[in-house]
Amino acid sequence: MNKSNIIGLILIGLIMFGFTWYQSKQYEKQMEAQAQLDSIARVGQMAAMALDSAKRAEGIVTDGEMSGVKVLNMPAYKDSLLTEARLAEASICRLSNSKVEIEFTTKGAQPYSALVKDYMSFDSTALYIFKPGMSQYGISLYVGENINTKDLVFQITEQTDSSVVMRLPFAQGGYIQQKYWLPEDSYMLQNELSFVGMENVIPRNVSRYDIQWDVIIPRLEKGYKNEKQYSKLNYYFADEKKPEVIARGRDESEKVTTRFKWFAFQQQFFSAMLTSPQEFSSADFSVKFFSEDEYKSQGNLMACSAKLQSEFTGGNEVVIPYEFYFGPNDYRTLKSYDQKYEKIIPLGGWMVAWFNRIVIIPCFDFLGKFISNYGIVILLMTLLIKLLISPLTIKSYKSTAKMQVIKPEIDKLNEKYPNEKDAMKKQQAMMDLYQKAGISPMGGCLPMLLQMPILFAMFRFFPASIELRQQKFLWADDLSAYDSIWDFGVNIPLLGDHLSLFALLMAVTMFVYSKMTSSQMSDDPNMAGMKFMSVWLMPIMMFFICNNLSSALSYYYLLSNIITMIMTWYIRKFVVTEEKVRADMMLNANKPKQKSKWQQRLEEAQKMQEQMQKQQQKNRR
């Protein structure tokens, strides 16, 4: 690569950096303005809700005229018992087992908070999937008038250590009942929604009811970008291989018009799920992430909303089962429920996910049973993986070494066939040379390609592995988040607000290894760009990428680079020496040769090319 090319690349890099910095500043200004507008909107919404509550408490409602607010003196509900339920004072009750503690409010007979035991938030406080009052769950139904259960206070009719039953009675007879029970040693909350004796209350033409569940998921992890990137909403169609995904780290909404079985508000390591064994008819989903400033100041990650429709068949007693899951995104735990819940864990595409499920997760779990330090577990797992793929590594290096030995012969062929019209002859001569030397054209590339699923599997596995959450190793206080040896205090475009030592060491070892292997690359001027990319560009790019990702991932790549360098040195020194390579080539040259299908096709193509050239010469005459 000449001086002009290098200067050009540097200038392009400076222009990209300046443009990124400018865009970042513009984005920050836009976000500040939007945050002000959102705050004003939220204040207005809260004020309107407060005004509405006060008026309903006085027994009046408004007609919602756009020209002005007109107050009408009328009961809040036609049913006097509903009016009493609207004005009644709510109370809190709770169910608890060894895994979770769930509080319920009688206002709406709904979950009020969900505490997950045996886990802590990033700041060592209790871990709530949603905090008290940060969830609104209501059933909307027409009972001669529209009601939403979240506005009405139920009566507790039965309560034990593991179950609670709440009812909403009607003046014409009948009641709506919510029954919750929490099995021991389970994250699954069982629920039965019942409509009892409501045939005279609910009109016969009512064929559905609506559910709306709004949840604010709090901040639970150390880094905003990482937690946001791995948080999303999933919904699952029965008998499908995996769930559908929306809002993967960004604001998004979606309308689902076909029947589905369950959905999940998924934070990076914990989820709130709702399953309907009878399936939901349709839904409107939306997710909005809080800004980084709100994330840090208010401690909230995202606001999730699900507007669901379910069929209503009618009858004297209608019982509809539901299941709530409030717990960790642990692969074995989710898989134990046999509902495809484990598919929400982002393990990659089918090949990468298959490798993670069949190899990485069992290996990781097995080592974790005997070793409590996960830094050591990652070290042993890296050594094991490198040992398993060592035959591929040796084969790749042998192919590269043989190419170095026959390089003079290749140069001679390049001199012998300098013209493009002799490209087929040159290719055939190259293939003959490779065959005599016992070299496969794909011998160096194929083993490396086979290792790519492992690299992608690790990239997916570590950020999604809850076992690494809040696990300390060396200077890293949480292997599932970034490690920091220097907090800048300001956000630097592309880099972030900190410096990760694992990411820096990984980039340095990547540079050193690329330097080691670049000496074996061809001196062809066309390869100069490839050398520059592998030696300089890739380590720098990987540093910027990994600086904000899981420190376990950077640590793994660091170990992988170090082990690879040691293996390369050992292979060069003792396994694939130049003397051994030449001896193998001499032995291979004496063996009878059998043309491969590739060579046969190449010879046929060469003959056709020669015939075409002869025909063209005849036509010219």
Side-chain angles (χ1 to χ4, degrees):
M1 181 175 290
N2 58 38
K3 185 178 180 180
S4 299
N5 289 341
I6 294 173
I7 293 172
L9 286 171
I10 292 172
L11 288 174
I12 291 171
L14 289 173
I15 291 170
M16 290 179 65
F17 181 86
F19 179 76
T20 303
W21 178 83
Y22 174 78
Q23 287 291 93
S24 176
K25 288 296 181 184
Q26 292 296 108
Y27 178 75
E28 288 177 2
K29 290 180 181 179
Q30 292 175 6
M31 289 303 294
E32 289 176 0
Q34 186 62 45
Q36 293 177 355
L37 293 174
D38 290 344
S39 297
I40 293 170
R42 281 195 293 271
V43 170
Q45 185 179 13
M46 291 172 65
M49 291 172 63
L51 180 62
D52 176 70
S53 297
K55 289 178 177 179
R56 286 190 180 277
E58 296 171 0
I60 57 176
V61 296
T62 63
D63 68 352
E65 289 182 357
M66 295 301 294
S67 59
V69 178
K70 180 181 178 182
V71 179
L72 302 177
N73 292 318
M74 62 172 60
Y77 292 103
K78 298 175 184 177
D79 190 311
S80 60
L81 291 184
L82 293 182
T83 302
E84 290 179 13
R86 175 71 189 226
L87 301 175
E89 184 176 348
S91 61
I92 302 295
C93 60
R94 67 174 53 87
L95 300 179
S96 179
N97 63 14
S98 60
K99 301 292 186 182
V100 292
E101 180 178 287
I102 303 169
E103 289 186 323
F104 300 87
T105 173
T106 54
K107 187 174 183 180
Q110 60 176 305
Y112 186 68
S113 68
L115 169 69
V116 182
K117 299 180 179 180
D118 297 330
Y119 292 95
M120 303 296 289
S121 187
F122 74 100
D123 55 359
S124 300
T125 58
L127 193 148
Y128 285 89
I129 292 183
F130 54 87
K131 295 180 179 179
M134 304 303 276
S135 170
Q136 287 288 329
Y137 180 83
I139 311 296
S140 295
L141 183 68
Y142 185 75
V143 290
E145 55 187 324
N146 292 315
I147 66 166
N148 191 319
T149 58
K150 71 182 180 63
D151 301 324
L152 305 168
V153 175
F154 284 57
Q155 302 170 5
I156 297 178
T157 58
E158 181 183 336
Q159 184 175 6
T160 67
D161 293 338
S162 59
S163 66
V164 61
V165 178
M166 292 175 272
R167 291 179 181 174
L168 177 68
F170 288 79
Q172 297 181 52
Y175 55 86
I176 298 175
Q177 177 176 285
Q178 285 281 25
K179 178 181 180 180
Y180 299 97
W181 69 98
L182 186 61
E184 184 55 38
D185 200 34
S186 175
Y187 294 104
M188 191 71 76
L189 173 69
Q190 302 294 332
N191 170 226
E192 281 184 354
L193 170 64
S194 302
F195 300 92
V196 181
M198 299 282 286
E199 63 272 15
N200 295 324
V201 179
I202 302 175
R204 293 182 179 180
N205 61 348
V206 173
S207 60
R208 75 169 201 182
Y209 61 93
D210 298 336
I211 300 175
Q212 180 159 349
W213 192 18
D214 300 321
V215 179
I216 292 180
I217 305 293
R219 173 188 181 181
L220 300 177
E221 312 303 332
K222 178 180 177 181
Y224 175 70
K225 291 181 180 178
N226 210 37
E227 185 174 4
K228 179 182 176 183
Q229 179 180 348
Y230 290 97
S231 298
K232 58 186 188 294
L233 188 149
N234 312 267
Y235 59 93
Y236 176 73
F237 298 107
D239 301 324
E240 289 293 319
K241 291 184 178 180
K242 60 181 181 180
E244 300 294 321
V245 179
I246 68 167
R248 197 192 305 267
R250 66 180 186 275
D251 296 352
E252 192 172 355
S253 60
E254 185 166 315
K255 185 176 183 65
V256 182
T257 57
T258 51
R259 299 172 66 87
F260 65 98
K261 192 169 184 180
W262 57 261
F263 68 94
F265 299 140
Q266 181 188 352
Q267 184 265 354
Q268 183 179 5
F269 293 117
F270 300 90
S271 290
M273 303 186 191
L274 179 59
T275 301
S276 173
Q278 297 181 4
E279 300 189 355
F280 300 103
S281 301
S282 59
D284 286 289
F285 293 120
S286 66
V287 175
K288 179 176 175 56
F289 286 91
F290 289 85
S291 69
E292 189 167 3
D293 289 338
E294 292 173 313
Y295 175 83
K296 292 178 179 178
S297 62
Q298 301 175 17
N300 293 323
L301 173 66
M302 60 181 181
C304 305
S305 177
K307 298 178 181 178
L308 312 157
Q309 291 79 46
S310 293
E311 294 176 355
F312 182 78
T313 56
N316 182 56
E317 183 173 355
V318 180
V319 180
I320 305 162
Y322 291 100
E323 294 175 332
F324 291 87
Y325 176 87
F326 303 121
N329 300 333
D330 177 75
Y331 184 83
R332 288 174 297 173
T333 301
L334 294 175
K335 189 174 177 61
S336 67
Y337 294 107
D338 196 27
Q339 296 280 1
K340 303 289 186 181
Y341 294 146
E342 73 278 4
K343 298 292 185 178
I344 69 171
I345 300 176
L347 295 178
W350 71 268
M351 181 179 290
V352 172
W354 175 86
F355 188 81
N356 269 321
R357 289 195 300 268
I358 303 301
V359 180
I360 300 300
I361 292 176
C363 177
F364 192 77
D365 290 343
F366 176 77
L367 293 173
K369 291 179 181 179
F370 305 100
I371 304 170
S372 59
N373 188 314
Y374 279 92
I376 304 300
V377 170
I378 294 173
L379 171 60
L380 293 176
M381 191 167 69
T382 308
L383 286 169
L384 181 60
I385 291 172
K386 286 294 181 182
L387 182 63
L388 289 173
I389 65 175
S390 59
L392 294 176
T393 306
I394 293 172
K395 185 175 181 180
S396 177
Y397 192 82
K398 275 185 177 180
S399 180
T400 305
K402 287 180 180 180
M403 291 292 290
Q404 285 293 108
V405 171
I406 66 170
K407 187 176 180 298
E409 283 80 0
I410 293 175
D411 293 338
K412 289 178 182 178
L413 289 175
N414 288 328
E415 293 174 2
K416 185 177 179 180
Y417 301 105
N419 299 323
E420 289 187 8
K421 65 179 183 180
D422 297 324
M424 294 296 293
K425 292 180 180 179
K426 178 181 174 180
Q427 187 69 23
Q428 180 61 46
M430 287 280 194
M431 292 301 298
D432 291 338
L433 179 61
Y434 288 161
Q435 189 177 31
K436 290 177 183 178
I439 299 174
S440 170
M442 295 296 291
C445 300
L446 189 58
M448 297 305 297
L449 289 175
L450 292 174
Q451 296 179 44
M452 292 303 292
I454 300 175
L455 296 176
F456 286 119
M458 296 297 100
F459 191 84
R460 286 290 191 174
F461 171 73
F462 287 119
S465 176
I466 195 171
E467 291 85 357
L468 297 174
R469 186 177 182 273
Q470 298 181 349
Q471 293 294 323
K472 296 182 179 181
F473 182 68
L474 298 178
W475 56 84
D477 56 7
D478 186 347
L479 284 171
S480 70
Y482 62 82
D483 63 293
S484 177
I485 57 166
W486 183 12
D487 294 319
F488 306 141
V490 293
N491 190 55
I492 299 176
L494 302 179
L495 185 62
D497 59 359
H498 64 276
L499 178 65
S500 165
L501 182 55
F502 273 132
L504 182 61
L505 292 175
M506 178 274 301
V508 170
T509 55
M510 191 175 183
F511 170 80
V512 173
Y513 177 68
S514 297
K515 272 286 190 182
M516 288 176 58
T517 56
S518 65
S519 61
Q520 294 186 334
M521 288 187 180
S522 172
D523 295 329
D524 189 337
N526 295 325
M527 294 295 292
M530 184 67 71
K531 281 186 178 181
F532 176 79
M533 180 175 289
S534 64
V535 175
W536 293 99
L537 199 57
M538 284 301 295
I540 293 172
M541 286 177 57
M542 286 299 293
F543 167 69
F544 279 98
I545 291 172
C546 292
N547 191 62
N548 290 294
L549 295 182
S550 161
S551 55
L553 181 64
S554 300
Y555 171 56
Y556 167 77
Y557 285 150
L558 169 64
L559 290 175
S560 182
N561 290 338
I562 292 173
I563 295 170
T564 301
M565 285 191 290
I566 294 173
M567 288 178 64
T568 301
W569 172 83
Y570 180 80
I571 291 170
R572 283 183 179 180
K573 192 76 174 175
F574 302 105
V575 180
V576 188
T577 62
E578 185 173 338
E579 293 78 12
K580 290 183 178 180
V581 170
R582 289 189 179 278
D584 287 344
M585 291 173 64
M586 290 292 293
L587 184 64
N588 188 73
N590 295 326
K591 293 180 179 179
K593 300 297 183 296
Q594 194 172 24
K595 293 182 180 180
S596 64
K597 292 182 179 180
W598 166 255
Q599 285 180 300
Q600 293 173 8
R601 287 195 295 267
L602 190 63
E603 288 180 358
E604 291 174 2
Q606 185 179 354
K607 290 178 181 178
M608 289 180 64
Q609 186 183 37
E610 290 175 352
Q611 291 175 0
M612 289 175 64
Q613 289 176 350
K614 290 179 180 179
Q615 187 65 38
Q616 288 174 357
Q617 290 175 359
K618 288 182 180 179
N619 294 337
R620 288 172 186 171
R621 294 174 185 174

